[in-house]
């Protein structure tokens, strides 16, 4: 509390997250703040004197906010009744964005459960940097209104905020094209901090930079930049152009002007926006004086001297070979009133709210510079002159909008012959989007009869004079641009299949990718292995987050995307894209709990459900009917649900699941189920009342003759996703029959190798639910090995570990489950300890193994060897011919390389089998701890 009894300005931002796609809070991109109110938690707005009035005084736009009341002024009602300052921060951040023209109205504020005074503040944004700046300024403003900060001047801060927004904002031309693309449901992605934008995805993607497109010819741009070459080409085509010469010094310019005939125009060879253009030069001295002005704006130092054509200045916009709009450009000027000076008239004109700096608004402020003073002097005026009433005083000779000029729409007034000349000029230069500058007395009359010429052809012409004319109707010229890039009927999106779940994501994603690769698609896939484009690994990293997804969507080869989506990426940045055509949820099991505010498996299910919520009405959600938490996600799906299930009617739970699927299919729904027969299990596709046999599970290599039940489930999910995405059944069947868990197709996922008679399984299993499934597979596989052995019952050796950021009880549970399936458990640790002390994770797992051993589990010995490679060497040293070694890996390539080396050299074993290798007598495993059961 302060001395005056007012609360202290304690509002602060604890954490900031930027969601770049669908997320837990919103279907669209949003900024998420965790704010701490401190003592302000006890002071709602109605208890802080003057707070509401002062807030509305500086941000009157808040009066329009409806808030939860659903009507104008609803937020003001909440302020007067008393609301918390976290909620106020949300609305202030929205209002600040609205000040700079970002029409964002989405937001919500919720208290952080179990934390006094902390709130989740979530609001939408258009530009990420503007949204973050709005958040920081909102917090400072709220604190300032609680207790005045002498160093905080809101007007200055707001002006700086507006300038920042202007620096990052798109220009009017780019924004017009983006708005048109959004109206057609074409996705877009900003590729840099300027105006480079991608429209569409993957193989369908097009790029724009302002009004240049990926179809714009580089040669045509070079030709248009060379005004001398442009004039010669147009003249050779019989089009009206002024006489012109290129010069490199002032004397050459004067001689050229005499040959052409006065008056002349002097301009840079490769200039734009009217910079350096000097008009109506009547003698050699004027030409010499104009030369350095033009040369200063020419990148090559070359200046063009051309005949001065008298008339009005018209810009003809040609898009894809057809006239899209015509505007008359009027140079910057003021009209006298008989009382005000020129300077006062300029100030009055610039006070027009439509005028701003650069391209921020529909008109540009008139700039009084040396060129403007020279134009004034030519008319006999200075800034202190008082023009007569009705007298027009020019401040620029060119009609460019960027110099303060205005535009008058003349699109439907142009004579057809003039339109044809402009279209022919664009074709001659080769530009897909061109601005043809006509000088003629009247665009409604043929220029060949009235006189006039094409003075310039511009690449990347601005759209502002057409979309926001000062006088006349605006022209929607972005439409023909988008029509050119995406003709009617063309698609802009590629199919996206997103896979999530606690276990099995990578294998399922690889199965789906394999199916569609077999169909000839160029598949882009992200997973914990990396980013894979058309079966080529581009980046080796954990790429299951949103940034990797965006990388795939930018790749011009990709026509089908499969994304593995992990919990961490959703919580950190959202999905990174708008929607997925097919969402696959495999299971939700207790893993990664206690991280980023996710403490229960139900909360984890809410995170996974983001994929289901991102399914459009014409999309599909592929859900595991056997998992109750996944089953509930059907209520969040806007599209169709496709069930997959391994359940049978021999249990009450199984009967309930099959009843659900039967009812779903009777309504025309889709499902994939297992049907047991005398020959084995058949995967059956159900669609409405039709049943279609797909494949025997024991004939799928990835299932190890049906023993790997987790891959049976993964195959069901992959087949369901492919079926939902439109793949024919024979292609799905072929894909599943040719997919195996070898090192090349699924590294680290049940890779089976035989090393000198020892069976080795390498897998990334790292959590208790995964160990339960792996243990079931080991039991089924072990039965086959037991029956085929002539040396007695083989031993099962397991090397296990988990990530250090798991909860202590999860680590103990992992050890308990492993002890039930292995004779010997070797506990190791990952290279990244994740803030644990060395040996801490292994000790907790070992504790779980011992607990199970004391309860009579299968395991008889547990050992701790922290280094992964040392653990593998020790396991292989003690294994006998016919034994089973299961390695739960961290660094998969290193382990596979070690096994490869092991198979090429002799190592000892206790077995007397003739094929057993001979040991290296100097090898001593670094066993740090060993415990044997009774």
């Amino acid at each position: 509390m302060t001395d005056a009894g007012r609360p202290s300005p304690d509002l602060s931002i604890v954490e900031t997250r930027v969601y770049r796609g669908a997320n837990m809070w919103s279907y669209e991109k949003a900024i998420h703040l965790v704010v701490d109110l401190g003592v302000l938690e006890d002071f709602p707005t109605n208890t802080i004197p003057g707070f509401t009035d002062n807030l509305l005084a500086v941000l009157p736009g808040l009066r329009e906010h409806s808030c939860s009341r659903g009507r104008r002024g609803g937020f003001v009602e909440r302020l007067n009744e008393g609301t918390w300052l976290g909620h106020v921060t949300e609305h202030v951040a929205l209002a600040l964005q609205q000040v700079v023209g970002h029409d964002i109205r989405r937001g919500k504020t919720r208290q952080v459960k179990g934390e006094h005074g902390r709130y989740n503040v979530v609001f939408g944004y258009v530009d990420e940097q503007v949204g973050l700046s709005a958040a920081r300024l909102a917090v400072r403003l709220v604190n300032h209104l609680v207790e005045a900060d002498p160093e905080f001047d809101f007007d200055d801060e707001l002006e700086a905020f507006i300038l920042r927004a202007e620096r990052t904002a798109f220009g009017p031309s780019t924004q017009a094209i983006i708005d048109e693309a959004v109206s057609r449901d074409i996705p877009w992605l900003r590729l840099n901090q300027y105006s480079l934008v991608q429209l569409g995805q993957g193989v369908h993607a097009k790029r724009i930079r302002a009004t240049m497109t990926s179809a714009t010819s580089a040669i045509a741009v070079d030709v248009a930049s060379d005004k001398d070459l442009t004039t010669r080409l147009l003249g050779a085509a019989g089009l009206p152009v002024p006489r012109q010469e290129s010069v490199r010094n002032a004397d050459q310019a004067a001689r050229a002007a005499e040959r052409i005939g006065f008056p002349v125009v002097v301009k840079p060879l490769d200039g734009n926006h009217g910079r350096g253009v000097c008009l109506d030069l009547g003698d050699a001295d004027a030409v010499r004086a104009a030369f350095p002005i033009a040369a200063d704006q020419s990148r090559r130092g070359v200046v063009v001297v051309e005949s001065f054509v008298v008339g009005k200045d018209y810009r003809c916009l040609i898009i894809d070979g057809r006239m899209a709009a015509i505007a008359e450009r009027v140079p910057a000027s003021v009209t006298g009133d008989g009382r005000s000076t020129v300077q006062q008239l300029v100030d009055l004109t610039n006070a027009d709210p439509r005028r701003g700096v650069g391209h921020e608004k529909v008109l540009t402020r008139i700039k009084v510079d040396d060129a403007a003073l020279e134009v004034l002097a030519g008319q006999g005026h200075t800034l202190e002159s008082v023009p007569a009433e009705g007298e027009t005083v020019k401040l620029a000779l060119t009609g460019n909008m960027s110099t303060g000029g205005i535009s008058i729409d003349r699109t439907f007034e142009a004579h057809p012959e003039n339109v044809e000349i402009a279209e022919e000029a664009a074709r001659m230069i080769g530009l897909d989007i061109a601005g043809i500058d006509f000088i003629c007395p009247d665009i409604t009359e043929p220029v060949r009869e009235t006189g006039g010429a094409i003075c310039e052809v511009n690449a990347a012409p601005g759209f502002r004079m057409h979309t926001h004319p000062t006088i006349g109707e605006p022209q929607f010229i972005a439409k023909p641009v988008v029509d050119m890039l995406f003709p009617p009927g063309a698609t802009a999106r590629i199919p996206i299949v997103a896979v999530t779940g606690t276990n099995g994501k990578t294998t399922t994603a690889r199965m789906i990718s394999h199916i569609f690769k077999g169909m000839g698609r160029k598949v882009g896939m992200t997973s914990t292995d990396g980013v894979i484009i058309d079966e080529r690994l581009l980046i080796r990293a954990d790429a299951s987050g949103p940034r990797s997804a965006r990388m795939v969507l930018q790749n011009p080869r990709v026509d089908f995307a499969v994304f593995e989506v992990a919990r961490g990426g959703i919580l950190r940045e959202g999905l990174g894209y708008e929607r997925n055509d097919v969402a696959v949820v495999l299971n939700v099991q207790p893993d990664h709990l206690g991280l980023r505010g996710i403490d229960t498996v139900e909360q984890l299910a809410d995170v996974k459900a983001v994929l289901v919520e991102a399914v459009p009405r014409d999309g599909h959600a592929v859900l595991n009917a056997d998992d109750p938490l996944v089953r509930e996600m059907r209520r969040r799906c806007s599209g169709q649900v496709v069930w997959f299930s391994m359940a049978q009617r021999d249990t009450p739970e199984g009967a309930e699941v099959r009843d659900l699927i039967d009812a779903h299919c009777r309504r025309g729904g889709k499902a994939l189920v297992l049907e047991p027969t005398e020959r084995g299990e058949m995967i059956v596709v159900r669609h409405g009342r039709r049943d279609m046999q797909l494949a025997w599970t024991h004939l799928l290599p990835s299932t190890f003759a049906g023993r790997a039940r987790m891959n049976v489930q993964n195959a069901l999910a992959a087949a369901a996703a492919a079926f939902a995405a439109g793949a024919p059944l024979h292609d799905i069947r072929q894909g599943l029959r040719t997919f195996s868990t070898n090192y090349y197709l699924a590294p680290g996922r049940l890779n089976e190798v035989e090393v000198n008679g020892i069976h080795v399984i390498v897998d990334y299993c790292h959590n208790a639910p995964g160990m339960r499934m792996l243990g079931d597979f080991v039991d089924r596989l072990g039965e086959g090995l037991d029956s085929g052995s002539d040396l007695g019952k083989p031993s099962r050796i397991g090397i296990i570990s988990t990530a250090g950021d798991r909860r202590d009880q999860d680590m103990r549970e992992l050890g308990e489950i492993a002890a039930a399936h292995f004779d010997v458990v070797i506990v190791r640790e990952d290279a990244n300890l994740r803030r644990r002390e060395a040996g801490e994770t292994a000790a907790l797992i070992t504790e779980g193994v011992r607990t199970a051993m004391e309860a009579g589990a299968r395991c008889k010995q547990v050992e701790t060897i922290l280094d992964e490679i040392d653990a593998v060497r020790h396991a292989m040293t003690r294994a006998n011919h016919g034994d089973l070694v299961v390695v739960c890996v961290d660094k998969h390539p290193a382990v596979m390389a070690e096994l490869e080396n092991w198979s090429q050299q002799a190592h000892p074993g206790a077995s007397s089998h003739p094929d057993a290798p001979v040991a290296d007598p100097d090898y001593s495993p670094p066993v740090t701890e060993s415990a044997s059961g009774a």
Side-chain angles (χ1 to χ4, degrees):
M1 295 290 291
T2 64
D3 294 339
R6 294 173 65 92
S8 301
D10 286 350
L11 177 63
S12 61
I13 299 174
V14 177
E15 184 178 355
T16 303
R17 300 177 192 170
V18 179
Y19 301 126
R20 298 177 176 89
N23 54 83
M24 287 185 64
W25 299 95
S26 171
Y27 294 128
E28 300 180 41
K29 57 186 184 180
I31 289 175
H32 176 195
L33 308 176
V34 178
V35 300
D36 190 341
L37 270 57
V39 300
L40 293 174
E41 171 67 4
D42 300 323
F43 291 87
T45 52
N46 62 342
T47 66
I48 305 174
F51 181 89
T52 298
D53 292 339
N54 292 334
L55 177 62
L56 296 177
V58 296
L59 285 175
L62 289 170
R63 298 181 187 275
E64 304 296 324
H65 289 204
S66 59
C67 198
S68 57
R69 302 295 166 86
R71 60 179 179 272
R72 181 181 180 273
F75 178 61
V76 177
E77 294 177 15
R78 295 290 303 277
L79 287 171
N80 291 327
E81 294 169 2
T83 188
W84 274 260
L85 296 187
H87 182 210
V88 175
T89 302
E90 169 209 328
H91 280 269
V92 172
L94 291 173
L96 287 170
Q97 293 184 84
Q98 290 162 1
V99 166
V100 297
H102 296 180
D103 188 18
I104 293 296
R105 307 178 188 183
R106 298 176 286 107
K108 64 178 66 175
T109 300
R110 301 288 185 270
Q111 188 167 15
V112 178
K113 292 182 179 179
E115 296 192 40
H116 181 77
R118 290 200 171 187
Y119 290 82
N120 293 302
V121 178
V122 182
F123 57 89
Y125 67 90
V126 173
D127 181 274
E128 180 179 321
Q129 294 305 316
V130 173
L132 291 171
S133 296
R136 292 189 290 266
L137 181 54
V139 169
R140 294 187 65 194
L141 175 60
V142 170
N143 279 329
H144 174 69
L145 294 176
V146 171
E147 179 184 348
D149 180 357
E151 297 182 0
F152 181 83
D153 186 317
F154 179 69
D155 291 336
D156 291 345
E157 295 287 343
L158 182 61
E159 183 177 352
F161 173 72
I162 293 173
L163 290 174
R164 173 187 288 273
E166 290 169 359
R167 286 197 300 269
T168 61
F170 288 121
S173 304
T174 306
Q175 191 62 58
I177 297 173
I178 291 175
D179 291 344
E180 177 65 21
V182 170
S183 72
R184 302 188 189 193
D185 195 33
I186 296 173
W188 64 276
L189 182 65
R190 191 170 192 168
L191 300 179
N192 66 2
Q193 60 181 327
Y194 303 108
S195 296
L196 184 60
V197 176
Q198 174 179 305
L199 302 178
Q201 298 169 338
V203 70
H204 306 303
K206 308 291 183 182
R207 290 179 179 175
I208 63 169
R209 188 174 65 189
T211 58
M212 284 199 294
T213 75
S214 48
T216 301
S217 165
I219 293 178
V221 173
D222 283 345
V223 170
S225 298
D226 189 328
K227 301 189 188 314
D228 181 44
L229 177 58
T230 297
T231 300
R232 284 192 281 112
L233 287 175
L234 297 183
L239 300 178
V241 292
R243 292 184 60 193
Q244 182 184 93
E245 290 186 29
S246 297
V247 297
R248 292 184 176 274
N249 59 54
D251 290 336
Q252 289 180 357
R255 290 194 295 271
E258 291 173 353
R259 286 192 295 271
I260 293 171
F262 295 102
V264 296
V265 176
V266 173
K267 60 185 180 181
L269 177 71
D270 48 7
N272 52 39
H273 296 296
R275 299 187 185 97
V277 178
C278 301
L279 304 177
D280 197 13
L281 305 177
D283 55 46
D285 290 339
V287 171
R288 288 190 177 91
F291 179 86
I293 299 174
D296 189 55
Q297 296 295 326
S298 175
R299 291 188 294 272
R300 288 181 263 180
V302 180
V303 169
V304 172
V305 180
E306 68 180 23
S307 57
F308 179 63
V309 181
V310 178
K312 297 178 180 178
D313 184 358
Y314 296 95
R315 165 63 63 84
C316 301
L317 181 65
I318 310 299
I319 299 175
D320 199 21
R322 299 181 64 84
M323 189 274 290
I326 297 178
E328 178 185 344
R329 301 187 295 181
V330 180
S333 62
V334 294
T335 302
D337 59 6
R339 300 184 308 274
S340 305
T341 65
V342 171
Q343 182 65 65
Q344 290 171 334
L345 292 171
V346 169
D347 293 341
L348 182 63
T349 302
N350 284 340
D352 185 338
R354 296 177 298 171
R355 291 188 181 269
V357 178
H359 294 285
E360 66 167 309
K361 294 185 178 178
V362 297
L363 293 174
T364 300
R365 290 176 186 159
I366 298 174
K367 184 178 180 182
V368 180
D369 53 12
D370 291 342
L373 295 175
E374 198 171 313
V375 173
L376 281 174
Q379 301 168 83
H381 285 296
T382 67
L383 290 176
E384 303 306 319
S385 300
V386 178
E389 184 174 356
E391 180 185 355
T392 299
V393 179
K394 292 183 179 180
L395 288 108
L397 294 177
T398 60
N400 296 76
M401 300 285 286
S402 57
T403 58
I406 66 171
S407 64
I408 304 171
D409 181 61
R410 303 293 189 191
T411 301
F412 302 108
E413 301 175 16
H415 192 278
E417 184 175 319
N418 296 339
V419 171
E420 183 180 341
I421 289 173
E423 292 176 346
E424 184 66 17
R427 283 191 287 268
M428 283 299 302
I429 302 304
L431 289 169
D432 57 341
I433 301 177
I436 311 299
D437 288 348
F438 257 117
I439 302 293
C440 62
D442 190 349
I443 198 69
T444 63
E445 300 292 333
V447 294
R448 297 186 192 276
E449 298 177 6
T450 62
I454 298 173
C455 61
E456 277 192 28
V457 176
N458 297 276
F463 286 176
R464 183 170 53 150
M465 70 185 74
H466 307 292
T467 57
H468 298 86
T470 315
I471 301 172
E473 294 295 321
Q475 301 300 316
F476 299 101
I477 52 178
K479 180 181 182 302
V481 175
V482 179
D483 282 341
M484 176 182 68
L485 297 175
F486 299 95
T491 183
R493 297 178 180 271
I494 62 173
I496 296 176
V497 178
V499 183
T500 192
T502 303
N503 291 300
K505 298 185 295 293
T506 303
T507 300
T508 303
R510 284 185 172 275
M511 285 181 174
I512 297 169
S513 177
H514 184 74
I515 291 170
F516 282 95
K517 173 61 180 175
M519 295 170 58
R521 306 298 290 266
K522 303 294 184 182
V523 181
M525 187 184 77
T526 65
S527 72
T528 50
D529 295 331
V531 177
I532 300 172
I533 304 295
D534 196 23
E535 293 194 334
R536 291 186 179 274
L537 182 65
L538 298 188
I539 297 177
R540 188 187 299 277
D542 184 348
S544 56
R547 294 183 184 178
S548 303
R550 290 194 294 271
M551 185 184 301
V552 168
L553 296 178
Q554 290 180 46
N555 193 291
R557 285 193 296 158
V558 174
D559 61 11
F560 195 94
V562 180
F563 297 146
E564 177 186 341
V565 181
R567 162 212 58 88
I570 298 174
L571 291 173
R572 187 173 60 252
E573 294 185 59
L575 293 183
Y577 55 86
E578 299 173 60
R579 62 179 187 244
N580 32 242
D581 301 276
V582 180
V584 183
V585 186
L586 300 171
N587 43 63
V588 179
Q589 296 167 331
D591 190 26
H592 295 283
L593 300 182
L595 301 173
R596 288 186 176 269
I598 305 301
D599 300 313
T600 67
V601 70
E602 288 77 17
Q603 290 176 321
L604 185 60
D606 289 337
V607 177
K608 305 288 186 184
V610 169
L611 268 70
V612 179
E613 294 171 345
V615 172
R617 292 187 179 276
D618 58 351
H620 297 79
V622 176
L623 303 178
N624 182 359
D626 301 337
D627 189 315
L629 291 172
V630 177
R631 205 159 54 230
E632 286 300 310
M633 293 181 191
R634 70 187 185 277
R635 307 182 192 280
R636 304 189 183 192
C637 181
S638 300
Q640 300 181 46
V641 171
V642 181
W643 295 114
F644 67 93
S645 172
M646 298 174 63
Q648 304 299 323
R649 291 189 174 276
D650 53 0
T651 65
E653 295 81 6
E656 180 184 354
V657 169
R658 295 306 289 262
D659 287 343
L660 171 71
I661 292 175
D662 290 346
H664 176 72
C665 291
R666 282 196 298 270
R667 295 191 297 270
K670 303 172 184 176
L672 272 79
V673 297
L674 284 183
E675 296 293 354
T677 69
E678 293 182 358
R679 293 182 54 190
E681 291 178 321
M682 171 65 72
I683 298 177
V684 175
V685 178
R686 301 183 62 183
H687 187 186
R689 298 186 180 275
R690 291 183 298 164
D691 289 0
M692 297 163 280
Q693 295 184 342
L694 183 64
W696 298 103
T697 59
H698 64 274
L699 296 182
L700 305 183
S702 62
T703 69
F704 289 79
R707 296 187 181 96
R709 305 305 290 172
M710 73 284 270
N711 276 353
V712 173
Q713 183 184 81
N714 294 338
L716 281 166
F723 185 57
L729 290 187
H730 64 272
D731 287 316
I732 300 174
R733 182 183 299 114
Q734 179 66 14
L736 293 179
R737 285 182 173 177
T738 55
F739 181 85
S740 65
T741 59
N742 61 44
Y743 177 73
Y744 302 101
L745 285 179
R749 275 80 191 177
L750 289 189
N751 301 152
E752 182 183 29
V753 293
E754 185 168 323
V755 180
N756 301 326
I758 302 169
H759 299 279
V760 182
I761 299 292
V762 180
D763 191 80
Y764 272 125
C765 175
H766 61 280
N767 57 39
M771 182 58 68
R772 192 171 284 110
M773 291 186 288
L774 180 62
D776 176 75
F777 169 64
V778 167
D779 291 343
R780 295 171 184 268
L781 185 63
E783 292 172 1
L785 296 176
D786 293 348
S787 61
S789 174
D790 56 357
L791 297 174
K793 191 173 183 179
S795 294
R796 305 178 194 172
I797 303 172
I799 302 174
I800 67 172
S801 185
T802 190
D805 58 2
R806 301 309 196 267
R807 300 177 303 176
D808 292 357
Q809 59 264 41
D810 296 331
M811 296 180 180
R812 296 187 186 98
E813 184 182 5
L814 174 71
E816 292 175 11
I817 296 171
H821 302 283
F822 295 102
D823 300 301
V824 178
V825 174
I826 300 174
V827 182
R828 62 164 188 83
E829 286 189 339
D830 290 350
N832 183 357
L833 299 178
R834 305 198 186 191
R835 300 184 181 180
R836 296 265 187 179
E837 295 294 328
E840 183 180 355
T841 298
L844 290 167
I845 297 174
T846 300
E847 184 180 336
V849 176
R850 287 176 175 172
T851 300
M853 291 168 60
E854 292 170 359
R858 176 180 182 123
C859 181
K860 303 305 178 187
Q861 186 173 1
V862 57
E863 299 175 298
T864 300
I865 302 178
L866 300 183
D867 181 77
E868 183 171 41
I869 299 302
D870 287 339
V872 171
R873 290 172 178 166
H874 179 60
M876 296 303 295
T877 299
R878 66 170 300 156
N880 297 317
H881 189 280
D883 284 353
L884 174 64
V885 176
V886 177
V887 185
C888 298
V889 294
D890 175 28
K891 305 296 184 183
H892 178 265
V895 169
M896 294 300 290
E898 176 64 25
L899 293 174
E900 178 68 22
N901 292 336
W902 195 272
S903 65
Q904 296 174 4
Q905 58 183 331
H907 282 273
S911 171
S912 59
H913 192 279
D915 295 332
V918 180
D920 178 357
D922 297 327
Y923 175 72
S924 177
V927 180
T928 60
E929 183 178 2
S930 178
S932 298

